[in-house]
Amino acid sequence: MSTGLPDFFKHNLWANLRLLDACAELSDAQLDATMIGTFGSIRETLMHMFASEEGYAWSFTKIKPSLPLKEFSTFAGFDELRRRAEMSGTALITIAEQEDLSQIFYLDGGTYKCAAVIVAIQAINHGVDHRSQIATMMSLQGIELPALDAWGYNDALAENIGK
C-alpha cells in the first residue's frame, strides 16, 4: 500500500462526511448554538469549512461551482453540503495524487505568493481546526461525537476491508 499526501485528504473527506452525518441529526437549537473561541455556530462553521475547501480545490483546478458556497446567504442544507464535500474532497485527493505541488500560486488577486503545497497543507489544517471546533460545541451540549481521528479512520478502513 502506498501512502502519502493523498491519504491525508482521504481521511479529511471521511471525517467531513462523518461529521456531516452527525450534525444532520442535531436540532436547530444545537446547530445554532455558539461558543466563545470558535468560528461561529455549527451551521456557520460547516458552511465556512466547505466554502473554504471549494476554494482550495479551485486554486488548483480553476473550476468553480455555478454558485460557490461562499456566496450562499443561508445554510445550504446537509444534502448540498454532502454533495459539495464529496466534490471538493475528491478533487483534493486527485490533486494530491497528480498535481505538481511545487508550482507557485498567486492568491488573493495576485497579492499573495505561495507554493501549491502550502494550499494543500492549509486545506488539511483548516479542516482539522474547524472539525475540532464543531466537536467541542457538540461535546459541550452533551452530544456524543463520532470518532473523527486517525484511530477512527483506521477502524473504518479495517471494517471496510472485512466486507
Side-chain angles (χ1 to χ4, degrees):
M1 170 167 120
S2 68
T3 60
L5 186 58
D7 294 294
F8 285 87
F9 284 105
K10 290 173 186 176
H11 167 262
N12 186 68
L13 175 57
W14 171 85
N16 285 344
L17 295 177
R18 278 188 57 104
L19 181 62
L20 280 172
D21 288 344
C23 290
E25 302 298 318
L26 301 180
S27 70
D28 286 339
Q30 291 168 323
L31 289 168
D32 294 330
T34 59
M35 184 182 95
I36 293 173
T38 62
F39 178 83
S41 70
I42 291 172
R43 214 184 294 264
E44 292 165 333
T45 305
L46 289 170
M47 287 291 290
H48 169 74
M49 263 179 65
F50 296 116
S52 296
E53 191 166 282
E54 280 184 346
Y56 301 135
W58 177 84
S59 295
F60 289 91
T61 67
K62 303 303 181 221
I63 299 170
K64 272 189 184 178
S66 57
L67 180 61
L69 277 175
K70 71 178 184 175
E71 294 179 17
F72 277 51
S73 59
T74 60
F75 185 68
F78 286 102
D79 290 341
E80 183 64 12
L81 286 181
R82 174 174 273 283
R83 188 178 76 75
R84 299 290 183 111
E86 288 172 345
M87 285 178 24
S88 58
T90 301
L92 288 169
I93 292 166
T94 301
I95 288 161
E97 292 170 340
Q98 299 175 4
E99 289 289 327
D100 173 10
L101 298 180
S102 67
Q103 65 183 302
I104 300 299
F105 286 163
Y106 295 89
L107 306 174
D108 296 334
T111 63
Y112 189 79
K113 177 182 172 183
C114 69
V117 71
I118 299 301
V119 175
I121 292 167
Q122 174 59 17
I124 293 294
N125 184 66
H126 190 260
V128 170
D129 185 36
H130 287 303
R131 283 192 304 269
S132 177
Q133 291 177 7
I134 291 170
T136 298
M137 287 187 278
M138 290 172 70
S139 178
L140 289 174
Q141 294 181 76
I143 301 163
E144 187 173 340
L145 306 169
L148 302 176
D149 62 4
W151 306 123
Y153 182 58
N154 182 64
D155 293 345
L157 289 175
E159 288 174 17
N160 286 332
I161 290 171
K163 291 182 179 181

